[in-house]
Amino acid sequence: MKDILIRGASEDGAVRFFACTTTNLVEEARKIHDCYPVAAAALGRMLSIGSMMGTMLKSDQDILTLQINGKGPAGSVVVVSDNSSNVRGYIHNPHVETTFKPSGKLDVGAAIGYEGSLTVIKDLGLKEPYVGQIPIVSGEIADDFTVYFANSEQTPSSVGLGVLVEPEGNVSAAGGFIIQVMPEAIEDTVALLEHNLAYLRPISDMVSSGLTAEEMIGEVLKGISFNVLEKKEIGYVCNCHRDRIEKVLISLGEAELVDIIEEDEKAEISCHFCNNKFHFNKEELTALLKEAKK
Ligand SMILES: [Zn+2]
């Protein structure tokens, strides 16, 4: 089954929703970064919310960057997305030790930590990017984004994220949803939503039992009529190119480049997001040095 993202609203327009199934792209991320289970869960949750928040961007050129750093053993997790909801990301320590909560669930909060911040950067092509930041709430990621939407974007929201990691280490189910309640929502709708959310199965259960993004929303919005306004296929996509890596090398400056040329005579740069390796020999580095001198 393909990874799918949907976006829509209740019939009266008072409730907006986003939902996605991301099993394939989270499994791909796990393989690229050789994530151990807790790291796969943390990165997977960030990739799912990244794909949904990406679709909120207006223009094709806009770029969304999400970063959570709670000073825990996982280190920071960074995810980049766009309005096609194609995502990429990395976790500082993919080999973070696996710990479980008393419930038997992977302890993502303990891996992320409880002391840092969640940062949302939207590059909308303006002079300055939009930056929203909140202190970490639980490190479980869904709770942190719920608070982010309430505090930084003044939108009461409910966020659900889930990743199921098998004992063998592979990701067998992943997905999530965002529900946003507009000020015009009537009391009955809000009460119904709260009731549904209180009794909702975990996302990983729903995806694992074969529910589509639309069917998950059907459970969250049980008793409320809704319309799906957009449905699209999403994936793990990195847009690194050699010329972008060249720019990074040039930006190191003359002195640094001279050091590399004299000491190593070559350079190997790998992309943080996809681990693609780019090689530069002495002649190529010398050409970049000329560029840096300009
Ligand atoms: Zn890449």
Side-chain angles (χ1 to χ4, degrees), residues 88 238-240 271-276 278:
R88 53 192 180 276
C238 191
N239 61 354
C240 58
C271 171
H272 278 317
F273 295 103
C274 68
N275 279 344
N276 249 346
F278 296 89

Side-chain angles (χ1 to χ4, degrees), residues 69-290:
N69 187 343
K71 301 191 177 149
S76 59
V77 184
V78 177
V79 161
V80 176
S81 181
D82 56 35
N83 86 340
S84 305
S85 291
N86 290 319
V87 280
R88 53 192 180 276
Y90 61 86
I91 181 163
H92 191 78
N93 178 12
H95 294 168
V96 62
E97 193 192 341
T98 304
T99 53
F100 295 93
K101 292 182 176 188
S103 64
K105 285 192 151 203
L106 290 165
D107 200 344
V108 172
I112 294 292
Y114 313 107
E115 282 178 50
S117 54
L118 166 67
T119 309
V120 174
I121 303 165
K122 294 179 195 171
D123 186 346
L124 309 175
L126 305 169
K127 221 178 199 177
E128 300 286 333
Y130 160 90
V131 181
Q133 192 172 58
I134 58 151
I136 294 230
V137 181
S138 71
E140 292 285 332
I141 300 171
D143 301 343
D144 300 285
F145 276 94
T146 298
V147 172
Y148 163 79
F149 283 120
N151 292 2
S152 293
E153 301 199 2
Q154 285 79 45
T155 312
S157 307
S158 175
V159 179
L161 299 168
V163 175
L164 184 64
V165 186
E166 295 296 321
E168 295 75 25
N170 60 304
V171 172
S172 62
F177 67 79
I178 304 172
I179 303 289
Q180 301 194 312
V181 181
M182 302 297 121
E184 65 267 26
I186 56 170
E187 228 169 271
D188 287 359
T189 304
V190 176
L192 202 50
L193 255 179
E194 281 173 357
H195 175 271
N196 292 348
L197 288 167
Y199 291 96
L200 197 69
R201 286 190 281 160
I203 312 283
S204 48
D205 279 12
M206 290 198 274
V207 179
S208 167
S209 62
L211 260 60
T212 61
E214 202 165 344
E215 287 165 339
M216 282 200 287
I217 288 299
E219 296 215 357
V220 181
L221 299 188
K222 202 187 285 173
I224 302 169
S225 318
F226 64 89
N227 298 310
V228 173
L229 303 171
E230 187 186 5
K231 179 175 178 179
K232 60 187 168 189
E233 202 181 320
I234 55 173
Y236 192 97
V237 176
C238 191
N239 61 354
C240 58
H241 287 294
R242 193 174 171 87
D243 46 357
R244 190 168 302 185
I245 306 286
E246 284 178 357
K247 284 197 184 107
V248 172
L249 281 166
I250 292 167
S251 72
L252 291 176
E254 279 184 58
E256 186 81 9
L257 279 170
V258 168
D259 274 357
I260 296 172
I261 293 167
E262 286 179 356
E263 282 171 30
D264 304 324
E265 300 192 331
K266 60 181 167 32
E268 182 191 280
I269 314 276
S270 29
C271 171
H272 278 317
F273 295 103
C274 68
N275 279 344
N276 249 346
K277 288 181 176 48
F278 296 89
H279 296 272
F280 295 87
N281 62 26
K282 194 174 179 181
E283 288 70 39
E284 288 162 334
L285 289 168
T286 309
L288 294 177
L289 177 60
K290 267 185 202 152

Side-chain angles (χ1 to χ4, degrees), residues 42-82:
L43 180 56
R45 290 180 193 181
M46 286 289 281
L47 287 166
S48 298
I49 186 95
S51 70
M52 291 187 284
M53 288 177 71
T55 211
M56 298 175 186
L57 297 170
K58 299 270 184 305
S59 146
D60 291 350
Q61 313 297 323
D62 297 348
I63 297 168
L64 172 78
T65 305
L66 307 176
Q67 180 172 20
I68 192 162
N69 187 343
K71 301 191 177 149
S76 59
V77 184
V78 177
V79 161
V80 176
S81 181
D82 56 35

